[in-house]
Amino acid sequence: MGPVRLGPVLLLQVLLVAAAGTGEAVYIPYNTSAGVVAGKLNVHVVPHTHDDVGWLKTVDQYYVGSNNSIQGACVQNVLDSLIPALLKDENRKFIYVEQAFFQRWWRNQNDMIKDTVKGLISSGRLELINGGMCMHDEAAVHYIDMIDQTTLGHRFIKEEFGQIPRIGWQIDPFGHSAVQAYLLGAEVGFDAFYFFRIDYQDRDTRKGTKELEVVWRGSKTFGSSADIFAGIFPKNYEPPPGGFYFEVDADSPVVQDDPFLFDYNVEERVNDFVAAALAQANITRTNHIMFTMGTDFKYQYAESWFRNMDKLIHYVNKDGRVNALYSTPSIYTDAKYAANEQWPLKTNDFFPYADDPNAYWTGYFTSRPALKRYVRMMSGYYLAARQLEFFKGRHSSGLTTDSLGDALALAQHHDAVTGTEKQHVANDYAKRLSIGYTRAQELVSISLACLTESGSKSRCSSPTTKFSQCLLLNVTYCPPSEMDFPKGKSLVVLVYNSLGWKREDVLRIPVFSDSIAVHDSEGREIESQLLPMATSSLNIRDKHVKAYLGTLPGAKPKFWLAFPVSVPPLGFNTYFVSNTKKSASVSSKSTLYSPQGSKSSNLQVGQGHLKLQYNAAGALSLYSDSKTQVEANFEQKYKYYIGQDGNGSDPQASGAYIFRPNGTVPIKTEGQAPLTVLRGPILDEVHQQINSWIYQINRVYKGKDYVETEFIVGPIPIDDGNGKELATEIVTNMATNKTFYTDSSGRDFIKRIRDYRSEWKIEVHQPVAGNYYPVNLGIYVEDGSKELSVLVDRSVGGSSIKDGQIELMLHRRLLHDDGRGVAEALNETVCLDDQCEGLVIEGKYYLKIDPKGEGARWRRTFGQEIYSPLLLAFSEQDGGNWANSHISKFSAMDPTYSLPDNVALLTLQELEDGSVLLRFAHLYEAGEHKDLSALASVDLKRVFPNNKIGKVIETSLSANQERAAMEKKRLKWKVEGPPADEKVVRGGPVDPSKLVVELGPMEIRTFIISFGHSISGKQLL
């Protein structure tokens, strides 16, 4: 159809009517200049977009706008259209959060656009808030990863724009942790923290008492010194009720203010806006409310939103009942602070989260356990790799740890490590981690070669020693150790310790020969033990090595070789494994003991203080430690919960997010399969085939005081049509009074009471799922005389469903989607030769029973060792001359020094400008341990004995501002009730002449250090 042409008379009539009707040009200049008005209800209109760095599509698909058959979303469009829209009116404002997207976009802009954007940011019209690479999760993440990904984003914003984010914006994670409030909030310098997802019963209670905005005191140790203002949205992070979505394809009515067009609706739209404002004001304190104008991947065409918001602000303010203004969370926070109000106090955290009576979001604490383990492994590796990058010198080669850091940052996203993404997106996160790992391990191998050959930089550019690492050791595959070494040759095992204290441990590597000797770096033979390889381990090896590498591995190793190692702090030691004659001194073969012939008697294992006893039926029955005089009856069990399929009166199914059990099935050992017991001088093992898809190994080491349980679970059978959620139980007769303790993001421990919430009355609809909590470090229970602790190797869900009991959910395989948007069942498979089977999970947990009050030392010290395992590198020696040409033992620290038992080194990283980022953490809460919850000191001169320390600047946690300046400007909020009686202990300033860092309980201190010169050969032992 061609253009419609008006005749000259009709056109003249229209023009006359228009002129008569308006008395002015049809252009309407909208007044959007309103600021805060005293005495009126101020509606802070906050334009925003929420851009997941992966969920239904991968991060790059979301950025470029591909794969739109899944979801129409293109972040590039958002940012491209945002800038011209902001330039149209100087009063328009916008906030942007996800630095992973923003930095992708920024790299592609020309200088003119960059200058324009810098102007918008410096004037406050475009505000970068939260500031991390992603909006990280708060349940399935470790605090070190939270710090690292936030630091990456914050330092970029500071270096590029000179800006320091001051607002936390965690609007979509599924529950909120205490560590987020005080550590990733107050300690990074945030003044406030805004979010949405809290339990529906809690929200309803808070609406009635006007307690959606509170002061959150997340730390018992820091008390009010780490308070932060916390704002909980009344409904969600979207526009208010009444239809205010203005995407080009949205259903909401636009503001139509042209009287010469049909559907003029200014009055109606103003009334809708005012009604929404008054409703929200009724549940909010002070005369300030926030309208979050945006949601997931909106502002693809930003002008569509701003055009309508301009009109709303203009006409609402002409109406006069309320005052509307373009705002940001920073402006809103300042207005709340200026009101000089006393706010309700919130302590602890916001877990678990439910949005309906049968919808507890506690399944994702365990979902995708293999991805969760991969993220945790890479996190510990990244910490060690950055240390070695520093020792070698960041600029001496093109290899860096940056790729692994970027991949890990993305993996902390609240739809990544959580396991709540589509399968192809989970694959994308794993692929990025794999690429980063591969690059980092090249750097690690070269750095270790440099350090073993010489400490001088001149020899470091091209070392001749070749080290390899076993990236697939978790599936029993380690090519360097799986060789028969010919006469005169031996395997060199270099063991690096990234912790700041000396470490004694037992290594296990797969080998072929049964005639093996192990020597230490001094040439002394050390005790070792051979354990026959379990069939279950070999089955995992064959299938998964081919799945990863495309080819079957070679001949199967026959044994695990176990031997003790001792490694100095921030350093390495070297061990040598060689074949030897049968008659010579060799590794001890484990004694195979089968208890079948002794049904009437109990079986005891353990070569040291710790003993485990199994009863005649082959069940674990007694734990005893002669050193601590602890003795306790306990059992290990397995069970699975049947996943609700959603076919009942409530269609809620169990899925990636939600745990909704439909009955519990205890797993009995099928056919009473006999135990296989291996005994030896270093450790005892008890192997048990629980059923056809669960295999368990309990290990008791002679020199250790805990039980290590390895489990191999899967494929979970689904041929009965039921999804299953597998849990392991530790059952004792301890009287624990409904109480247990779980960690907050690997840091503080929080007291949990079954079927109870401290700040509101819970109506219990899901007695199991509603008592599950995230576990990243561990969980423990206690009674009057002892405490039982269980530590984990990845994020899992855990609880104490009955007194004396602890349970951990290890694996989930479900057949229905739970209706929270991912539109995919959590049914992970591994495919090989066009045959797909359910995912098999291999993992470990660790158990210890202590006298009451004594468990904290193990939880904190060993917990750090789980997070930072020893790093192994392998080479080959010919003729026993390694010691003549290599340094066998190294520590970066003064050889007589180690960090205190209560302090961990979190970060040692050379930055691009040559300065060094350094973080120390006190591991204990106030009052957690009678000796170790005390002020600790670190002597930097002895940590870096041969480096001249030039300048030490203490910074905020995310290293984007000086600590003193941050503390000076951070807002201090008033709290209802009497002031707390607090004795907060923090370390004092660092004297530049003494260079001693003090740390109070739970304190993490961050520094930027400049050195006069780099590492020298004198540091090599």
Side-chain angles (χ1 to χ4, degrees):
M1 181 177 172
V4 176
R5 301 187 186 278
L6 297 175
V9 176
L10 184 57
L11 179 60
L12 180 60
Q13 287 177 334
V14 169
L15 292 173
L16 288 171
V17 171
T22 62
E24 57 184 353
V26 289
Y27 169 72
I28 302 172
Y30 298 112
N31 182 1
T32 57
S33 63
V36 168
V37 175
K40 261 192 176 179
L41 176 60
N42 290 279
V43 183
H44 294 252
V45 174
V46 177
H48 79 105
T49 180
H50 173 62
D51 298 341
D52 294 299
V53 295
W55 179 38
L56 309 182
K57 308 199 294 189
T58 69
V59 59
D60 286 348
Q61 288 170 350
Y62 272 133
Y63 177 68
V64 301
S66 60
N67 213 355
N68 280 338
S69 61
I70 294 178
Q71 185 181 11
C74 174
V75 175
Q76 213 169 357
N77 286 349
V78 173
L79 292 166
D80 279 346
S81 72
L82 175 64
I83 305 310
L86 287 175
L87 292 172
K88 280 190 173 183
D89 183 336
E90 66 180 7
N91 299 307
R92 291 177 174 179
K93 292 178 174 60
F94 196 83
I95 58 170
Y96 198 77
V97 175
E98 295 83 6
Q99 282 298 302
F101 284 133
F102 187 83
Q103 291 178 26
R104 278 166 167 75
W105 180 82
W106 183 252
R107 289 193 298 264
N108 293 331
Q109 304 311 305
N110 62 36
D111 289 343
M112 187 177 77
I113 295 289
K114 285 185 174 182
D115 287 344
T116 301
V117 171
K118 285 180 178 179
L120 290 170
I121 289 173
S122 67
S123 66
R125 290 154 68 187
L126 173 59
E127 185 174 348
L128 302 176
I129 70 167
N130 221 33
M133 299 302 286
C134 68
M135 188 182 290
H136 57 225
D137 182 53
E138 299 179 37
V141 286
H142 194 276
Y143 74 94
I144 294 178
D145 290 324
M146 299 164 90
I147 294 169
D148 283 342
Q149 82 88 16
T150 303
T151 300
L152 269 179
H154 280 198
R155 285 186 58 78
F156 170 83
I157 293 169
K158 181 66 186 294
E159 288 164 8
E160 201 69 39
F161 306 107
Q163 297 293 310
I164 297 168
R166 53 176 292 233
I167 302 294
W169 188 258
Q170 290 284 113
I171 60 175
D172 198 26
F174 325 129
H176 299 280
S177 74
V179 157
Q180 175 65 34
Y182 85 85
L183 193 63
L184 277 301
E187 294 292 302
V188 298
F190 287 168
D191 286 318
F193 166 40
Y194 295 95
F195 52 96
F196 147 52
R197 297 190 189 274
I198 68 168
D199 189 282
Y200 72 101
Q201 295 182 53
D202 189 6
R203 186 188 311 277
D204 289 346
T205 302
R206 291 179 181 279
K207 281 181 178 179
T209 56
K210 291 194 174 185
E211 294 186 14
L212 285 170
E213 292 177 322
V214 297
V215 169
W216 190 351
R217 187 167 297 165
S219 168
K220 299 185 292 291
T221 298
F222 292 137
S224 61
S225 71
D227 283 356
I228 190 167
F229 183 77
I232 305 156
F233 299 146
K235 187 179 180 189
N236 51 36
Y237 54 80
E238 305 192 3
F244 295 98
Y245 294 80
F246 299 123
E247 203 69 13
V248 286
D249 58 352
D251 294 335
S252 299
V254 298
V255 182
Q256 206 297 83
D257 62 344
D258 187 337
F260 296 96
L261 301 180
F262 287 176
D263 304 323
Y264 181 88
N265 64 356
V266 170
E267 187 178 353
E268 181 184 328
R269 294 273 62 201
V270 167
N271 286 340
D272 292 340
F273 187 97
V274 171
L278 295 175
Q280 190 166 322
N282 284 335
I283 54 172
T284 310
R285 301 187 186 196
T286 79
N287 62 328
H288 296 275
I289 62 170
M290 185 195 301
F291 278 3
T292 49
M293 298 300 291
T295 183
D296 297 15
F297 299 101
K298 300 309 179 192
Y299 291 76
Q300 304 273 321
Y301 174 53
E303 184 59 26
S304 176
W305 283 84
F306 281 110
R307 183 193 305 123
N308 284 280
M309 289 186 291
D310 286 353
K311 294 178 181 182
L312 282 171
I313 291 170
H314 176 77
Y315 290 114
V316 164
N317 291 343
K318 283 184 76 173
D319 172 86
R321 284 174 287 173
V322 303
N323 178 59
L325 64 151
Y326 274 125
S327 188
T328 67
S330 296
I331 295 169
Y332 179 78
T333 299
D334 288 339
K336 286 285 179 177
Y337 184 75
N340 205 24
E341 180 91 2
Q342 288 190 333
W343 299 95
L345 182 66
K346 161 70 186 171
T347 57
N348 293 335
D349 62 8
F350 286 99
F351 286 115
Y353 163 58
D355 58 0
D356 271 313
N358 294 317
Y360 276 90
W361 296 45
T362 54
Y364 81 94
F365 300 161
T366 297
S367 295
R368 301 195 188 279
L371 179 64
K372 283 178 164 65
R373 175 62 184 150
Y374 197 20
V375 170
R376 184 60 53 83
M377 284 174 62
M378 291 301 94
S379 179
Y381 192 86
Y382 180 51
L383 184 148
R386 283 179 289 170
Q387 295 174 359
L388 291 164
E389 183 178 33
F390 162 70
F391 298 146
K392 181 181 178 301
R394 180 178 168 94
H395 297 293
S396 56
S397 85
L399 290 169
T400 72
T401 56
D402 293 353
S403 177
L404 180 55
D406 289 342
L408 268 169
L410 285 178
Q412 309 315 315
H413 168 55
H414 59 269
D415 282 307
V417 68
T418 53
T420 55
E421 64 280 77
K422 282 187 178 290
Q423 183 64 54
H424 79 104
V425 181
N427 296 344
D428 185 72
Y429 291 126
K431 181 178 180 179
R432 291 170 188 275
L433 288 170
S434 178
I435 291 168
Y437 189 15
T438 302
R439 291 176 183 168
Q441 64 97 18
E442 287 181 53
L443 169 75
V444 164
S445 294
I446 291 172
S447 297
L448 290 173
C450 287
L451 294 173
T452 60
E453 290 183 11
S454 166
S456 69
K457 287 293 179 74
S458 59
R459 296 271 313 273
C460 222
S461 55
S462 53
T464 56
T465 306
K466 301 296 180 195
F467 279 108
S468 58
Q469 294 165 61
C470 292
L471 308 188
L472 297 178
L473 190 57
N474 64 318
V475 290
T476 322
Y477 182 63
C478 185
S481 71
E482 295 176 17
M483 300 198 311
D484 267 326
F485 290 98
K487 188 176 180 183
K489 290 198 172 183
S490 56
L491 174 71
V492 179
V493 184
L494 185 146
V495 187
Y496 178 74
N497 171 23
S498 60
L499 295 177
W501 57 72
K502 181 181 176 183
R503 186 154 171 193
E504 316 276 343
D505 212 335
V506 175
L507 295 189
R508 293 166 72 246
I509 56 174
V511 295
F512 278 103
S513 173
D514 60 356
S515 300
I516 276 182
V518 181
H519 293 81
D520 67 12
S521 54
E522 310 290 327
R524 295 183 295 255
E525 184 172 348
I526 60 171
E527 192 168 46
S528 58
Q529 179 180 342
L530 289 168
L531 299 104
M533 195 70 71
T535 305
S536 57
S537 296
L538 293 174
N539 290 342
I540 285 183
R541 166 193 164 93
D542 286 350
K543 180 176 178 182
H544 287 81
V545 170
K546 185 170 183 187
Y548 284 117
L549 301 182
T551 56
L552 277 170
K556 297 177 180 180
K558 297 186 178 72
F559 304 99
W560 284 106
L561 170 67
F563 58 95
V565 296
S566 176
V567 195
L570 270 196
F572 62 73
N573 207 344
T574 312
Y575 295 83
F576 304 92
V577 178
S578 55
N579 287 352
T580 188
K581 292 177 184 165
K582 296 274 185 189
S583 58
S585 173
V586 295
S587 181
S588 302
K589 269 195 179 178
S590 303
T591 308
L592 181 62
Y593 172 80
S594 185
Q596 293 142 295
S598 53
K599 279 279 182 187
S600 59
S601 63
N602 290 332
L603 162 73
Q604 192 176 76
V605 295
Q607 304 290 318
H609 297 292
L610 176 60
K611 302 276 194 293
L612 293 183
Q613 191 167 298
Y614 289 78
N615 61 26
L620 190 53
S621 59
L622 188 70
Y623 174 110
S624 62
D625 187 328
S626 58
K627 187 176 180 182
T628 60
Q629 300 298 304
V630 164
E631 187 171 288
N633 296 312
F634 87 112
E635 300 174 79
Q636 279 179 314
K637 298 179 176 181
Y638 288 88
K639 64 184 176 185
Y640 65 81
Y641 295 102
I642 299 170
Q644 175 64 254
D645 61 10
N647 283 329
S649 56
D650 180 345
Q652 180 60 61
S654 211
Y657 300 87
I658 286 166
F659 172 33
R660 188 186 177 199
N662 184 23
T664 310
V665 179
I667 295 173
K668 296 190 165 39
T669 305
E670 291 176 357
Q672 296 298 308
L675 305 177
T676 301
V677 182
L678 303 173
R679 299 185 189 274
I682 293 170
L683 75 153
D684 289 357
E685 287 189 346
V686 180
H687 292 239
Q688 194 169 12
Q689 186 77 50
I690 306 295
N691 66 8
S692 62
W693 49 280
I694 304 172
Y695 190 85
Q696 177 180 286
I697 307 167
N698 276 337
R699 296 190 182 95
V700 183
Y701 296 88
K702 181 179 179 181
K704 305 283 186 184
D705 54 2
Y706 59 84
V707 182
E708 175 183 301
T709 297
E710 180 176 351
F711 53 87
I712 299 172
V713 175
I716 294 177
I718 52 171
D719 46 4
D720 59 359
N722 288 325
K724 299 175 182 64
E725 315 189 49
L726 181 85
T728 188
E729 294 183 272
I730 294 94
V731 182
T732 73
N733 56 10
M734 293 169 65
T736 54
N737 194 27
K738 294 187 170 185
T739 303
F740 56 105
Y741 299 82
T742 64
D743 67 273
S744 176
S745 305
R747 195 82 178 123
D748 309 62
F749 276 92
I750 295 182
K751 182 178 182 178
R752 313 296 190 184
I753 300 174
R754 201 161 55 248
D755 296 336
Y756 175 78
R757 305 291 186 267
S758 61
E759 291 162 336
W760 48 281
K761 183 170 171 46
I762 182 174
E763 191 175 320
V764 179
H765 299 280
Q766 288 290 325
V768 176
N771 285 301
Y772 255 65
Y773 290 86
V775 179
N776 278 282
L777 167 61
I779 178 172
Y780 71 95
V781 293
E782 60 186 18
D783 63 9
S785 62
K786 54 189 175 291
E787 50 192 86
L788 162 67
S789 307
V790 179
L791 302 185
V792 296
D793 67 350
R794 75 199 73 191
S795 162
V796 297
S799 187
S800 176
I801 298 298
K802 299 173 187 168
D803 279 5
Q805 178 253 29
I806 284 175
E807 70 175 66
L808 300 172
M809 188 181 287
L810 304 180
H811 196 3
R812 316 177 73 220
R813 189 181 186 190
L814 297 162
L815 304 179
H816 301 275
D817 176 60
D818 54 14
R820 293 305 182 276
V822 78
E824 200 173 87
L826 184 69
N827 183 8
E828 294 182 278
T829 58
V830 173
C831 299
L832 185 63
D833 298 331
D834 298 324
Q835 294 286 315
C836 296
E837 287 187 337
L839 182 68
V840 175
I841 292 298
E842 182 274 339
K844 296 184 180 77
Y845 65 86
Y846 308 85
L847 180 149
K848 191 171 189 292
I849 304 177
D850 285 287
K852 187 176 180 184
E854 295 296 320
R857 179 189 283 269
W858 179 70
R859 288 191 293 270
R860 293 302 184 181
T861 302
F862 187 62
Q864 210 62 30
E865 294 183 0
I866 296 170
Y867 175 81
S868 285
L870 293 169
L871 189 157
L872 308 184
F874 301 90
S875 190
E876 192 177 288
Q877 112 169 309
D878 193 354
N881 61 354
W882 184 271
N884 299 330
S885 55
H886 294 80
I887 290 134
S888 297
K889 196 173 182 183
F890 160 86
S891 175
M893 305 206 310
D894 180 321
T896 63
Y897 187 70
S898 68
L899 294 185
D901 289 348
N902 51 4
V903 173
L905 173 63
L906 297 193
T907 312
L908 175 58
Q909 177 181 3
E910 184 173 347
L911 302 172
E912 289 181 358
D913 63 1
S915 61
V916 172
L917 178 60
L918 181 69
R919 275 193 197 94
F920 294 106
H922 196 299
L923 294 174
Y924 290 78
E925 297 176 62
E928 187 176 2
H929 190 273
K930 62 183 188 299
D931 302 319
L932 295 168
S933 292
L935 192 71
S937 298
V938 175
D939 187 341
L940 293 182
K941 291 179 181 176
R942 298 181 75 189
V943 173
F944 304 105
N946 294 294
N947 292 66
K948 181 171 171 48
I949 297 174
K951 194 172 184 184
V952 179
I953 300 170
E954 183 166 12
T955 70
S956 64
L957 185 69
S958 57
N960 66 345
Q961 58 186 313
E962 290 196 28
R963 173 96 198 183
M966 177 198 88
E967 289 181 340
K968 192 173 179 181
K969 69 186 181 187
R970 220 173 70 78
L971 301 181
K972 308 292 188 290
W973 297 84
K974 293 181 178 177
V975 176
E976 290 178 345
D981 181 20
E982 298 174 327
K983 293 185 178 66
V984 177
V985 178
R986 289 187 187 257
V990 176
D991 184 329
S993 61
K994 295 178 180 174
L995 293 173
V996 172
V997 175
E998 296 175 332
L999 295 117
M1002 277 286 111
E1003 191 170 19
I1004 298 178
R1005 297 185 73 178
T1006 305
F1007 302 92
I1008 302 288
I1009 296 184
S1010 55
F1011 289 111
H1013 61 82
S1014 301
I1015 192 168
S1016 75
K1018 294 178 186 174
Q1019 284 170 267
L1020 302 168
L1021 302 180

